[in-house]
Amino acid sequence: MARVTMWAAVLQLMVMVAWTWSGVEGQGYWEVVVPNAGIASMHSAVTHLGSVVLLDRTNIGDSQLPLPNGVCRDNPADRANTHDCTAHSALYTPGSNAIRPLFVFTDTWCSSGQFDGNGMLVQTGGDADGVTKIRTFTPCGDGNCDWVETATNLQEGRWYASNQILPDGTQIVVGGRGSTTVEYVPANGRGTSYLDLLATTGDAQQDNLYPFVHLLPNNQLFIFANRDSCLFDWQTNTIVGTLPQIPGEPRNYPSAGSSVMLALSAADGFTYAEVLVCGGAQYGAYMSGNTGAPASKTCGRIAPLAAGAGWAMEDMPQARTMGDMVLLPSKQVLIINGAAAGSQGWGGASNAVTAPDLYSPYNAAGTRFQTLTGTNVPRVYHSTANLIQDGSVIVAGSNTHQFYTFTGEFPTELRVERFIPPYMGGGIQVTAGPATLAYGAAFTVTVAANNPTTIELNLIAPPFVTHSYSMGQRLLQLAVSAPAGDGNGGYNVDSTAPPSNVVAPAGYYMMFPVADGAVGYAWWVKIG
């Protein structure tokens, strides 16, 4: 049975004291946790051991993070340095803030990924020698794990594609530059399949890259590209429904809005789904290089399985392109990073948006947004944001140049920051619970909390984050009993695991206790 580490308990106490001392309710705060990670993180993912995989491209020349023990990457296909003794991937450990270099061989530029049911990160595609590659990273506790280039390749080159884990344990890989198809990893006999949505949304600046893909609770996929979306039956490789076009600007790369599926809840049997799409850029800003073109200020929200589904539009407090959207244990959405003008791409944006916005989806329309405390570190093209086990958000990357360039308005950013949302504090944590859960199984956890009235248990699947989209991000609100004191200062909460692999694809989830609105330290649990 897992145990919460001492540093986590101390960290929770520090956060509680910080909020009590500050007297500023609801704004959050920032800290630099790594002054120089050595690489700029274009992609990132949180493993079930709590570490964070940071990943850049390889065709960029030397990083500032040496590979250990004289190891070098000798790759004649590398466009920048065929004998490279520096790392282009790293493992960051929260708490100790240690950085361990990782070895990745082929080019991972603008690639995609997702965790499988056993917590292995499956990473697909890229550019140049990496365009058809499949790589894996299996987290370990002994410091010996590293990237593995598999002997099996993708069936089609994938650059700027999106991945989504499916109920059968495979991943669908959708689109990419020059691609109008989907395929499955591992290959499941269905081969590649033409997706009309990708063909019809391919405008002159290709605003259908990194399509938004969400697994709906009826086992269909919601796939969104440019401004259009469809319902896709992955078992038959057919579009089974189309949805209205979202008003406003293009929303995918290179215009770069972002998207999440809001929390699925046991209260309705996990049957009701809503998708949120926010931000974007003016059409043509990317092609023309108009860095001053105002970005989108709108969000659209749709229930894709509802009869007569349509978009409900609302305005964000700030215009934003390249914003990352992070599902929080409070069932809110953090919109962070990006710029107020221009588009994605090298030197494509201006006016960095350094203050995150918090979206509360269950508030009344017009009262859902709150602007939080900003950072002094611009995070624009090639930046990431990931929720970690203590409920805070790790923010890394930003490189709006072809190579590492440390001058200009937006220099290559090697610092790693942590944003602490306003909901943290109180030393709340799961102190006992199951390591694994079967679908539909009843279970009990013990939560340390200060005389709570209510305790929620909310599951979050860790995504693969790149280019303003978090692949596989998922939030489930479980049914719970009223907390019952255990006589030892803890509170027992009874609950039931999600009912199926459609609602919760097999894999590792962070189970967050939320006591009277305050978010505690998560417990990792393997489902399925």
Side-chain angles (χ1 to χ4, degrees):
M1 185 174 292
R3 293 290 172 193
V4 176
T5 58
M6 180 62 72
W7 78 262
V10 171
L11 182 59
Q12 289 279 13
L13 179 60
M14 290 171 63
V15 171
M16 177 182 68
V17 170
W19 276 108
T20 302
W21 175 81
S22 72
V24 180
E25 183 179 356
Q27 295 301 308
Y29 68 95
W30 293 80
E31 62 180 9
V32 174
V33 290
V34 180
N36 186 343
I39 67 168
S41 181
M42 182 188 300
H43 322 80
S44 57
V46 179
T47 77
H48 65 275
L49 299 182
S51 54
V52 185
V53 177
L54 308 177
L55 181 62
D56 200 3
R57 55 184 282 223
T58 58
N59 280 323
I60 203 167
D62 289 357
S63 74
Q64 293 189 4
L65 182 64
L67 287 166
N69 305 319
V71 172
C72 296
R73 185 175 60 90
D74 292 302
N75 184 352
D78 195 292
R79 294 168 174 169
N81 186 356
T82 59
H83 179 71
D84 186 352
C85 302
T86 64
H88 298 278
S89 182
L91 198 65
Y92 164 66
T93 302
S96 71
N97 296 324
I99 294 286
R100 178 168 75 85
L102 300 175
F103 185 98
V104 61
F105 189 73
T106 56
D107 192 21
T108 52
W109 186 16
C110 303
S111 51
S112 55
Q114 181 79 96
F115 288 103
D116 75 1
N118 292 314
M120 180 175 70
L121 183 57
V122 179
Q123 212 274 325
T124 51
D127 186 32
D129 65 328
V131 71
T132 62
K133 294 296 182 179
I134 301 174
R135 312 164 196 86
T136 62
F137 180 82
T138 302
C140 64
D142 60 8
N144 292 320
C145 45
D146 212 331
W147 286 104
V148 174
E149 302 252 350
T150 69
T152 304
N153 286 345
L154 293 168
Q155 298 171 69
E156 185 176 309
R158 303 284 173 181
W159 192 27
Y160 299 90
S162 294
N163 294 22
Q164 169 64 53
I165 189 74
L166 298 172
D168 69 354
T170 64
Q171 296 180 27
I172 188 170
V173 188
V174 181
R177 180 160 285 174
S179 173
T180 55
T181 68
V182 305
E183 66 175 280
Y184 300 86
V185 175
N188 57 12
R190 284 193 289 274
T192 62
S193 179
Y194 174 77
L195 181 60
D196 182 66
L197 177 75
L198 297 176
T200 59
T201 55
D203 59 28
Q205 60 179 18
Q206 300 183 72
D207 278 308
N208 62 357
L209 303 179
Y210 281 125
F212 306 142
V213 185
H214 302 294
L215 175 64
L216 299 172
N218 70 341
N219 206 15
Q220 295 173 359
L221 294 173
F222 172 89
I223 303 179
F224 181 105
N226 198 328
R227 294 173 57 205
D228 295 330
S229 51
C230 70
L231 299 177
F232 183 76
D233 185 335
W234 61 272
Q235 296 178 94
T236 61
N237 281 331
T238 55
I239 291 175
V240 293
T242 57
L243 296 159
Q245 188 175 78
I246 192 171
E249 299 76 17
R251 307 288 178 163
N252 294 83
Y253 182 90
S255 292
S258 190
S259 176
V260 294
M261 183 171 69
L262 300 178
L264 301 178
S265 176
D268 57 27
F270 301 104
T271 60
Y272 181 73
E274 282 191 278
V275 172
L276 181 69
V277 175
C278 293
Q282 286 188 25
Y283 178 73
Y286 176 76
M287 287 187 298
S288 67
N290 185 358
T291 62
S296 175
K297 199 174 183 180
T298 64
C299 289
R301 185 166 161 177
I302 193 170
L305 299 179
W311 293 96
M313 304 301 294
E314 51 195 321
D315 284 347
M316 299 183 286
Q318 309 170 87
R320 198 182 301 253
T321 182
M322 295 183 286
D324 288 281
M325 294 173 69
V326 182
L327 289 172
L328 299 177
S330 58
K331 303 186 297 296
Q332 297 165 304
V333 181
L334 186 72
I335 308 174
I336 195 168
N337 299 334
S343 64
Q344 279 197 334
W346 291 326
S350 63
N351 191 13
V353 182
T354 56
D357 290 322
L358 185 67
Y359 180 78
S360 299
Y362 308 110
N363 287 2
T367 65
R368 292 175 179 151
F369 284 101
Q370 176 188 3
T371 299
L372 305 178
T373 300
T375 176
N376 61 1
V377 181
R379 302 281 183 177
V380 286
Y381 190 42
H382 291 155
S383 57
T384 61
N386 294 77
L387 178 75
I388 62 172
Q389 195 172 357
D390 69 356
S392 65
V393 176
I394 294 296
V395 183
S398 187
N399 185 19
T400 188
H401 311 279
Q402 183 174 0
F403 303 107
Y404 282 10
T405 305
F406 299 99
T407 58
E409 181 182 8
F410 299 130
T412 301
E413 186 54 65
L414 304 182
R415 285 173 288 183
V416 177
E417 289 181 289
R418 175 171 166 263
F419 177 67
I420 296 87
Y423 54 52
M424 290 176 60
I428 302 158
Q429 57 190 23
V430 176
T431 56
T436 60
L437 281 175
Y439 291 112
F443 67 96
T444 301
V445 298
T446 303
V447 178
N450 183 19
N451 195 28
T453 301
T454 62
I455 295 178
E456 295 179 15
L457 295 178
N458 296 330
L459 296 173
I460 295 184
F464 179 87
V465 178
T466 190
H467 288 75
S468 307
Y469 178 51
S470 294
M471 303 176 191
Q473 189 171 211
R474 198 169 191 84
L475 171 57
L476 308 172
Q477 183 180 12
L478 301 180
V480 293
S481 66
D486 65 359
N488 297 310
Y491 292 83
N492 292 328
V493 179
D494 298 326
S495 187
T496 304
S500 71
N501 55 11
V502 174
V503 171
Y508 284 91
Y509 291 73
M510 289 182 280
M511 182 165 59
F512 282 94
V514 183
D516 297 332
V519 170
Y521 193 87
W523 180 276
W524 283 100
V525 61
K526 185 180 182 184
I527 298 177

